[in-house]
Amino acid sequence: MSAPSAPNLFLVYVTDAERSTAFHSDLFGMKPIMVTPRYVPFEVAPGVVFALWSGKTDRLGPRTPRTSEIGLMLPGPASAIDDLHTAWTAKGATVVEPPHDEVFGRTFVVADPDGNLIRVAPVD
């Protein structure tokens, strides 16, 4: 059996794994595979894991710059993106960019409690 050739683990740095687990579980409607004090993985597709990781908390704080985004591509019309924005705003998500049209279609961005960006956009 050959080793996977594509990335299959996506880590998001957080300062409070318990708080972030609750946030992401509620936002995405998913449950973690397991829960540890500093690492919480979610299987998002067979063999593909999205994980929250607090790592060494003395090296990661709320002011640590975030240089990536978590992405959720939605099928359907632009109104589906607007509807999800309304639902996530009702859950208390922090809006970074309200819904707007980009070159790739309708999009918006929210932030998790640590400032990690979550972009919603149409399926490519």
Side-chain angles (χ1 to χ4, degrees), residues 14-32 34-37 39-42 50-53 88 91-93 111-114 118:
V14 300
T15 55
D16 182 329
E18 186 176 340
R19 175 187 68 183
S20 292
T21 298
F23 177 85
H24 289 279
S25 292
D26 182 47
L27 199 67
F28 293 118
M30 60 185 182
K31 294 183 182 201
M34 66 180 209
V35 176
T36 73
Y39 177 75
V40 181
F42 298 84
F50 159 77
L52 306 173
W53 169 240
W88 283 8
K91 291 181 179 195
D112 75 4
D114 286 289
I118 304 167

mmCIF file of all heavy atoms in Angstrom, residues 14-32 34-37 39-42 50-53 88 91-93 111-114 118:
data_model
loop_
_atom_site.group_PDB
_atom_site.id
_atom_site.type_symbol
_atom_site.label_atom_id
_atom_site.label_comp_id
_atom_site.label_asym_id
_atom_site.label_seq_id
_atom_site.Cartn_x
_atom_site.Cartn_y
_atom_site.Cartn_z
ATOM 1 N N VAL A 14 -5.840 26.811 18.212
ATOM 2 C CA VAL A 14 -6.813 27.420 19.106
ATOM 3 C C VAL A 14 -6.182 27.599 20.485
ATOM 4 O O VAL A 14 -5.215 26.922 20.819
ATOM 5 C CB VAL A 14 -8.102 26.571 19.212
ATOM 6 C CG1 VAL A 14 -8.765 26.418 17.844
ATOM 7 C CG2 VAL A 14 -7.830 25.200 19.810
ATOM 8 N N THR A 15 -6.732 28.500 21.274
ATOM 9 C CA THR A 15 -6.215 28.698 22.625
ATOM 10 C C THR A 15 -7.001 27.928 23.667
ATOM 11 O O THR A 15 -6.491 27.622 24.733
ATOM 12 C CB THR A 15 -6.210 30.199 23.009
ATOM 13 O OG1 THR A 15 -7.524 30.716 22.832
ATOM 14 C CG2 THR A 15 -5.227 30.978 22.162
ATOM 15 N N ASP A 16 -8.234 27.585 23.372
ATOM 16 C CA ASP A 16 -9.090 26.859 24.307
ATOM 17 C C ASP A 16 -9.798 25.758 23.518
ATOM 18 O O ASP A 16 -10.802 26.004 22.847
ATOM 19 C CB ASP A 16 -10.099 27.831 24.939
ATOM 20 C CG ASP A 16 -10.998 27.195 25.966
ATOM 21 O OD1 ASP A 16 -11.311 25.992 25.843
ATOM 22 O OD2 ASP A 16 -11.433 27.914 26.878
ATOM 23 N N ALA A 17 -9.257 24.538 23.589
ATOM 24 C CA ALA A 17 -9.790 23.433 22.785
ATOM 25 C C ALA A 17 -11.251 23.135 23.098
ATOM 26 O O ALA A 17 -12.039 22.864 22.193
ATOM 27 C CB ALA A 17 -8.937 22.184 22.973
ATOM 28 N N GLU A 18 -11.633 23.200 24.361
ATOM 29 C CA GLU A 18 -13.019 22.911 24.735
ATOM 30 C C GLU A 18 -13.981 23.932 24.130
ATOM 31 O O GLU A 18 -14.990 23.582 23.527
ATOM 32 C CB GLU A 18 -13.160 22.885 26.258
ATOM 33 C CG GLU A 18 -14.522 22.465 26.731
ATOM 34 C CD GLU A 18 -14.615 22.355 28.252
ATOM 35 O OE1 GLU A 18 -13.579 22.240 28.926
ATOM 36 O OE2 GLU A 18 -15.755 22.398 28.748
ATOM 37 N N ARG A 19 -13.649 25.216 24.263
ATOM 38 C CA ARG A 19 -14.498 26.276 23.696
ATOM 39 C C ARG A 19 -14.566 26.154 22.171
ATOM 40 O O ARG A 19 -15.641 26.248 21.581
ATOM 41 C CB ARG A 19 -13.928 27.646 24.101
ATOM 42 C CG ARG A 19 -14.651 28.825 23.464
ATOM 43 C CD ARG A 19 -13.977 30.138 23.748
ATOM 44 N NE ARG A 19 -12.688 30.171 23.060
ATOM 45 C CZ ARG A 19 -11.819 31.159 23.154
ATOM 46 N NH1 ARG A 19 -12.067 32.188 23.932
ATOM 47 N NH2 ARG A 19 -10.684 31.122 22.494
ATOM 48 N N SER A 20 -13.424 25.908 21.548
ATOM 49 C CA SER A 20 -13.390 25.805 20.089
ATOM 50 C C SER A 20 -14.116 24.563 19.586
ATOM 51 O O SER A 20 -14.744 24.594 18.532
ATOM 52 C CB SER A 20 -11.945 25.808 19.600
ATOM 53 O OG SER A 20 -11.385 27.082 19.828
ATOM 54 N N THR A 21 -14.052 23.472 20.341
ATOM 55 C CA THR A 21 -14.783 22.267 19.966
ATOM 56 C C THR A 21 -16.277 22.547 19.960
ATOM 57 O O THR A 21 -16.988 22.182 19.014
ATOM 58 C CB THR A 21 -14.459 21.101 20.924
ATOM 59 O OG1 THR A 21 -13.061 20.811 20.825
ATOM 60 C CG2 THR A 21 -15.275 19.859 20.579
ATOM 61 N N ALA A 22 -16.755 23.220 20.989
ATOM 62 C CA ALA A 22 -18.184 23.560 21.049
ATOM 63 C C ALA A 22 -18.560 24.465 19.881
ATOM 64 O O ALA A 22 -19.591 24.257 19.224
ATOM 65 C CB ALA A 22 -18.511 24.226 22.381
ATOM 66 N N PHE A 23 -17.737 25.474 19.591
ATOM 67 C CA PHE A 23 -18.017 26.414 18.504
ATOM 68 C C PHE A 23 -18.085 25.691 17.156
ATOM 69 O O PHE A 23 -19.061 25.816 16.419
ATOM 70 C CB PHE A 23 -16.945 27.512 18.461
ATOM 71 C CG PHE A 23 -17.113 28.483 17.320
ATOM 72 C CD1 PHE A 23 -17.957 29.572 17.452
ATOM 73 C CD2 PHE A 23 -16.442 28.297 16.125
ATOM 74 C CE1 PHE A 23 -18.125 30.475 16.395
ATOM 75 C CE2 PHE A 23 -16.604 29.183 15.064
ATOM 76 C CZ PHE A 23 -17.445 30.272 15.206
ATOM 77 N N HIS A 24 -17.045 24.937 16.811
ATOM 78 C CA HIS A 24 -16.980 24.282 15.508
ATOM 79 C C HIS A 24 -18.012 23.157 15.389
ATOM 80 O O HIS A 24 -18.588 22.962 14.316
ATOM 81 C CB HIS A 24 -15.563 23.773 15.228
ATOM 82 C CG HIS A 24 -14.599 24.879 14.955
ATOM 83 N ND1 HIS A 24 -14.491 25.480 13.727
ATOM 84 C CD2 HIS A 24 -13.719 25.520 15.761
ATOM 85 C CE1 HIS A 24 -13.580 26.435 13.783
ATOM 86 N NE2 HIS A 24 -13.102 26.480 15.004
ATOM 87 N N SER A 25 -18.250 22.423 16.464
ATOM 88 C CA SER A 25 -19.285 21.376 16.436
ATOM 89 C C SER A 25 -20.648 21.974 16.119
ATOM 90 O O SER A 25 -21.400 21.441 15.296
ATOM 91 C CB SER A 25 -19.355 20.644 17.782
ATOM 92 O OG SER A 25 -18.193 19.896 18.006
ATOM 93 N N ASP A 26 -20.971 23.092 16.775
ATOM 94 C CA ASP A 26 -22.256 23.750 16.548
ATOM 95 C C ASP A 26 -22.325 24.365 15.157
ATOM 96 O O ASP A 26 -23.303 24.190 14.432
ATOM 97 C CB ASP A 26 -22.482 24.812 17.624
ATOM 98 C CG ASP A 26 -23.824 25.514 17.476
ATOM 99 O OD1 ASP A 26 -24.849 24.820 17.294
ATOM 100 O OD2 ASP A 26 -23.850 26.761 17.538
ATOM 101 N N LEU A 27 -21.272 25.072 14.766
ATOM 102 C CA LEU A 27 -21.275 25.768 13.480
ATOM 103 C C LEU A 27 -21.413 24.798 12.314
ATOM 104 O O LEU A 27 -22.224 25.004 11.413
ATOM 105 C CB LEU A 27 -19.993 26.594 13.338
ATOM 106 C CG LEU A 27 -20.027 27.705 12.312
ATOM 107 C CD1 LEU A 27 -21.000 28.800 12.731
ATOM 108 C CD2 LEU A 27 -18.641 28.292 12.133
ATOM 109 N N PHE A 28 -20.627 23.712 12.330
ATOM 110 C CA PHE A 28 -20.620 22.773 11.218
ATOM 111 C C PHE A 28 -21.549 21.579 11.420
ATOM 112 O O PHE A 28 -21.695 20.758 10.523
ATOM 113 C CB PHE A 28 -19.198 22.265 10.961
ATOM 114 C CG PHE A 28 -18.261 23.330 10.443
ATOM 115 C CD1 PHE A 28 -17.143 23.692 11.175
ATOM 116 C CD2 PHE A 28 -18.505 23.967 9.242
ATOM 117 C CE1 PHE A 28 -16.270 24.668 10.707
ATOM 118 C CE2 PHE A 28 -17.646 24.942 8.763
ATOM 119 C CZ PHE A 28 -16.520 25.289 9.493
ATOM 120 N N GLY A 29 -22.151 21.455 12.598
ATOM 121 C CA GLY A 29 -23.052 20.335 12.853
ATOM 122 C C GLY A 29 -22.349 18.994 12.792
ATOM 123 O O GLY A 29 -22.851 18.051 12.179
ATOM 124 N N MET A 30 -21.171 18.909 13.408
ATOM 125 C CA MET A 30 -20.419 17.652 13.385
ATOM 126 C C MET A 30 -19.851 17.357 14.767
ATOM 127 O O MET A 30 -19.735 18.258 15.603
ATOM 128 C CB MET A 30 -19.296 17.709 12.352
ATOM 129 C CG MET A 30 -18.281 18.794 12.589
ATOM 130 S SD MET A 30 -17.088 18.844 11.237
ATOM 131 C CE MET A 30 -16.010 20.149 11.827
ATOM 132 N N LYS A 31 -19.507 16.087 14.983
ATOM 133 C CA LYS A 31 -18.957 15.669 16.274
ATOM 134 C C LYS A 31 -17.525 15.198 16.079
ATOM 135 O O LYS A 31 -17.200 14.604 15.043
ATOM 136 C CB LYS A 31 -19.791 14.539 16.869
ATOM 137 C CG LYS A 31 -21.186 14.992 17.231
ATOM 138 C CD LYS A 31 -21.964 13.896 17.883
ATOM 139 C CE LYS A 31 -23.369 14.451 18.147
ATOM 140 N NZ LYS A 31 -24.082 13.768 19.143
ATOM 141 N N PRO A 32 -16.666 15.438 17.078
ATOM 142 C CA PRO A 32 -15.280 14.988 16.949
ATOM 143 C C PRO A 32 -15.150 13.464 17.006
ATOM 144 O O PRO A 32 -16.001 12.777 17.576
ATOM 145 C CB PRO A 32 -14.581 15.628 18.145
ATOM 146 C CG PRO A 32 -15.646 16.018 19.090
ATOM 147 C CD PRO A 32 -16.913 16.165 18.313
ATOM 148 N N MET A 34 -12.639 12.070 18.572
ATOM 149 C CA MET A 34 -12.221 11.900 19.966
ATOM 150 C C MET A 34 -11.958 13.286 20.529
ATOM 151 O O MET A 34 -11.863 14.259 19.793
ATOM 152 C CB MET A 34 -10.974 11.026 20.077
ATOM 153 C CG MET A 34 -9.729 11.636 19.482
ATOM 154 S SD MET A 34 -8.328 10.536 19.677
ATOM 155 C CE MET A 34 -6.993 11.717 19.751
ATOM 156 N N VAL A 35 -11.829 13.357 21.837
ATOM 157 C CA VAL A 35 -11.547 14.634 22.489
ATOM 158 C C VAL A 35 -10.416 14.424 23.481
ATOM 159 O O VAL A 35 -10.485 13.528 24.320
ATOM 160 C CB VAL A 35 -12.807 15.171 23.224
ATOM 161 C CG1 VAL A 35 -12.480 16.449 23.980
ATOM 162 C CG2 VAL A 35 -13.947 15.407 22.240
ATOM 163 N N THR A 36 -9.363 15.237 23.340
ATOM 164 C CA THR A 36 -8.286 15.253 24.321
ATOM 165 C C THR A 36 -8.169 16.697 24.805
ATOM 166 O O THR A 36 -8.758 17.603 24.205
ATOM 167 C CB THR A 36 -6.944 14.780 23.727
ATOM 168 O OG1 THR A 36 -6.422 15.801 22.863
ATOM 169 C CG2 THR A 36 -7.089 13.469 22.963
ATOM 170 N N PRO A 37 -7.401 16.949 25.851
ATOM 171 C CA PRO A 37 -7.309 18.327 26.354
ATOM 172 C C PRO A 37 -6.741 19.346 25.354
ATOM 173 O O PRO A 37 -7.046 20.514 25.427
ATOM 174 C CB PRO A 37 -6.385 18.203 27.558
ATOM 175 C CG PRO A 37 -6.533 16.790 28.002
ATOM 176 C CD PRO A 37 -6.738 15.990 26.741
ATOM 177 N N TYR A 39 -6.077 18.413 21.666
ATOM 178 C CA TYR A 39 -6.217 17.986 20.275
ATOM 179 C C TYR A 39 -7.599 17.358 20.088
ATOM 180 O O TYR A 39 -7.961 16.415 20.793
ATOM 181 C CB TYR A 39 -5.130 16.960 19.932
ATOM 182 C CG TYR A 39 -5.218 16.383 18.545
ATOM 183 C CD1 TYR A 39 -4.831 17.126 17.437
ATOM 184 C CD2 TYR A 39 -5.675 15.085 18.346
ATOM 185 C CE1 TYR A 39 -4.907 16.584 16.160
ATOM 186 C CE2 TYR A 39 -5.746 14.531 17.072
ATOM 187 C CZ TYR A 39 -5.355 15.288 15.988
ATOM 188 O OH TYR A 39 -5.433 14.761 14.730
ATOM 189 N N VAL A 40 -8.358 17.910 19.127
ATOM 190 C CA VAL A 40 -9.716 17.408 18.878
ATOM 191 C C VAL A 40 -9.900 17.263 17.360
ATOM 192 O O VAL A 40 -10.059 18.255 16.651
ATOM 193 C CB VAL A 40 -10.787 18.355 19.460
ATOM 194 C CG1 VAL A 40 -12.183 17.801 19.213
ATOM 195 C CG2 VAL A 40 -10.543 18.594 20.946
ATOM 196 N N PRO A 41 -9.871 16.024 16.859
ATOM 197 C CA PRO A 41 -10.033 15.797 15.422
ATOM 198 C C PRO A 41 -11.486 15.519 15.018
ATOM 199 O O PRO A 41 -12.252 14.913 15.769
ATOM 200 C CB PRO A 41 -9.172 14.555 15.179
ATOM 201 C CG PRO A 41 -9.281 13.790 16.470
ATOM 202 C CD PRO A 41 -9.395 14.835 17.560
ATOM 203 N N PHE A 42 -11.832 15.968 13.811
ATOM 204 C CA PHE A 42 -13.123 15.700 13.187
ATOM 205 C C PHE A 42 -12.815 15.066 11.830
ATOM 206 O O PHE A 42 -12.032 15.613 11.059
ATOM 207 C CB PHE A 42 -13.895 17.002 12.923
ATOM 208 C CG PHE A 42 -14.249 17.797 14.139
ATOM 209 C CD1 PHE A 42 -13.341 18.679 14.703
ATOM 210 C CD2 PHE A 42 -15.514 17.693 14.708
ATOM 211 C CE1 PHE A 42 -13.683 19.440 15.815
ATOM 212 C CE2 PHE A 42 -15.867 18.444 15.822
ATOM 213 C CZ PHE A 42 -14.946 19.313 16.378
ATOM 214 N N PHE A 50 -9.905 17.246 9.988
ATOM 215 C CA PHE A 50 -9.828 18.659 10.380
ATOM 216 C C PHE A 50 -9.686 18.608 11.904
ATOM 217 O O PHE A 50 -10.500 17.983 12.571
ATOM 218 C CB PHE A 50 -11.116 19.352 9.942
ATOM 219 C CG PHE A 50 -11.436 20.623 10.664
ATOM 220 C CD1 PHE A 50 -10.775 21.800 10.351
ATOM 221 C CD2 PHE A 50 -12.408 20.651 11.658
ATOM 222 C CE1 PHE A 50 -11.086 22.972 11.008
ATOM 223 C CE2 PHE A 50 -12.714 21.815 12.316
ATOM 224 C CZ PHE A 50 -12.045 22.984 11.993
ATOM 225 N N ALA A 51 -8.629 19.217 12.455
ATOM 226 C CA ALA A 51 -8.405 19.097 13.891
ATOM 227 C C ALA A 51 -8.128 20.442 14.540
ATOM 228 O O ALA A 51 -7.496 21.325 13.953
ATOM 229 C CB ALA A 51 -7.240 18.149 14.163
ATOM 230 N N LEU A 52 -8.616 20.577 15.761
ATOM 231 C CA LEU A 52 -8.328 21.741 16.592
ATOM 232 C C LEU A 52 -7.147 21.367 17.468
ATOM 233 O O LEU A 52 -7.112 20.278 18.048
ATOM 234 C CB LEU A 52 -9.546 22.083 17.451
ATOM 235 C CG LEU A 52 -10.846 22.282 16.673
ATOM 236 C CD1 LEU A 52 -12.011 22.447 17.628
ATOM 237 C CD2 LEU A 52 -10.725 23.473 15.747
ATOM 238 N N TRP A 53 -6.170 22.250 17.585
ATOM 239 C CA TRP A 53 -4.930 21.941 18.294
ATOM 240 C C TRP A 53 -4.475 23.149 19.099
ATOM 241 O O TRP A 53 -4.218 24.207 18.539
ATOM 242 C CB TRP A 53 -3.867 21.534 17.278
ATOM 243 C CG TRP A 53 -2.464 21.411 17.742
ATOM 244 C CD1 TRP A 53 -1.390 22.123 17.272
ATOM 245 C CD2 TRP A 53 -1.940 20.522 18.726
ATOM 246 N NE1 TRP A 53 -0.257 21.727 17.902
ATOM 247 C CE2 TRP A 53 -0.561 20.740 18.808
ATOM 248 C CE3 TRP A 53 -2.519 19.564 19.559
ATOM 249 C CZ2 TRP A 53 0.257 20.041 19.680
ATOM 250 C CZ3 TRP A 53 -1.702 18.872 20.428
ATOM 251 C CH2 TRP A 53 -0.336 19.107 20.493
ATOM 252 N N TRP A 88 -25.546 31.341 10.782
ATOM 253 C CA TRP A 88 -24.327 31.432 11.596
ATOM 254 C C TRP A 88 -24.298 32.699 12.422
ATOM 255 O O TRP A 88 -23.818 32.701 13.548
ATOM 256 C CB TRP A 88 -23.098 31.340 10.707
ATOM 257 C CG TRP A 88 -22.789 29.939 10.251
ATOM 258 C CD1 TRP A 88 -23.563 28.821 10.422
ATOM 259 C CD2 TRP A 88 -21.624 29.531 9.554
ATOM 260 N NE1 TRP A 88 -22.930 27.740 9.861
ATOM 261 C CE2 TRP A 88 -21.745 28.140 9.318
ATOM 262 C CE3 TRP A 88 -20.497 30.193 9.088
ATOM 263 C CZ2 TRP A 88 -20.768 27.408 8.655
ATOM 264 C CZ3 TRP A 88 -19.521 29.460 8.424
ATOM 265 C CH2 TRP A 88 -19.656 28.090 8.214
ATOM 266 N N LYS A 91 -26.119 32.180 15.466
ATOM 267 C CA LYS A 91 -25.357 31.372 16.428
ATOM 268 C C LYS A 91 -24.262 32.183 17.111
ATOM 269 O O LYS A 91 -23.556 31.664 17.962
ATOM 270 C CB LYS A 91 -24.729 30.163 15.723
ATOM 271 C CG LYS A 91 -25.739 29.140 15.270
ATOM 272 C CD LYS A 91 -25.043 27.964 14.618
ATOM 273 C CE LYS A 91 -26.080 26.931 14.198
ATOM 274 N NZ LYS A 91 -25.463 25.638 13.898
ATOM 275 N N GLY A 92 -24.095 33.431 16.712
ATOM 276 C CA GLY A 92 -23.111 34.295 17.351
ATOM 277 C C GLY A 92 -21.761 34.352 16.667
ATOM 278 O O GLY A 92 -20.804 34.875 17.234
ATOM 279 N N ALA A 93 -21.648 33.829 15.443
ATOM 280 C CA ALA A 93 -20.375 33.898 14.722
ATOM 281 C C ALA A 93 -20.004 35.351 14.467
ATOM 282 O O ALA A 93 -20.854 36.184 14.159
ATOM 283 C CB ALA A 93 -20.467 33.140 13.403
ATOM 284 N N ALA A 111 -15.220 34.560 11.843
ATOM 285 C CA ALA A 111 -14.051 34.164 12.621
ATOM 286 C C ALA A 111 -14.491 33.319 13.800
ATOM 287 O O ALA A 111 -15.564 33.540 14.375
ATOM 288 C CB ALA A 111 -13.304 35.403 13.124
ATOM 289 N N ASP A 112 -13.647 32.338 14.157
ATOM 290 C CA ASP A 112 -13.920 31.537 15.347
ATOM 291 C C ASP A 112 -13.423 32.307 16.571
ATOM 292 O O ASP A 112 -12.897 33.429 16.434
ATOM 293 C CB ASP A 112 -13.334 30.133 15.214
ATOM 294 C CG ASP A 112 -11.824 30.048 15.381
ATOM 295 O OD1 ASP A 112 -11.158 31.062 15.688
ATOM 296 O OD2 ASP A 112 -11.291 28.936 15.207
ATOM 297 N N PRO A 113 -13.575 31.787 17.773
ATOM 298 C CA PRO A 113 -13.170 32.534 18.970
ATOM 299 C C PRO A 113 -11.690 32.916 19.019
ATOM 300 O O PRO A 113 -11.311 33.836 19.738
ATOM 301 C CB PRO A 113 -13.524 31.580 20.113
ATOM 302 C CG PRO A 113 -14.650 30.763 19.584
ATOM 303 C CD PRO A 113 -14.316 30.577 18.128
ATOM 304 N N ASP A 114 -10.838 32.231 18.241
ATOM 305 C CA ASP A 114 -9.413 32.559 18.208
ATOM 306 C C ASP A 114 -9.033 33.438 17.024
ATOM 307 O O ASP A 114 -7.863 33.730 16.818
ATOM 308 C CB ASP A 114 -8.582 31.273 18.173
ATOM 309 C CG ASP A 114 -8.585 30.596 19.518
ATOM 310 O OD1 ASP A 114 -7.946 31.125 20.439
ATOM 311 O OD2 ASP A 114 -9.238 29.552 19.652
ATOM 312 N N ILE A 118 -13.116 31.607 8.600
ATOM 313 C CA ILE A 118 -13.923 30.561 7.971
ATOM 314 C C ILE A 118 -14.673 31.213 6.814
ATOM 315 O O ILE A 118 -15.520 32.069 7.023
ATOM 316 C CB ILE A 118 -14.917 29.945 8.964
ATOM 317 C CG1 ILE A 118 -14.182 29.406 10.195
ATOM 318 C CG2 ILE A 118 -15.762 28.872 8.295
ATOM 319 C CD1 ILE A 118 -15.091 29.063 11.361
#
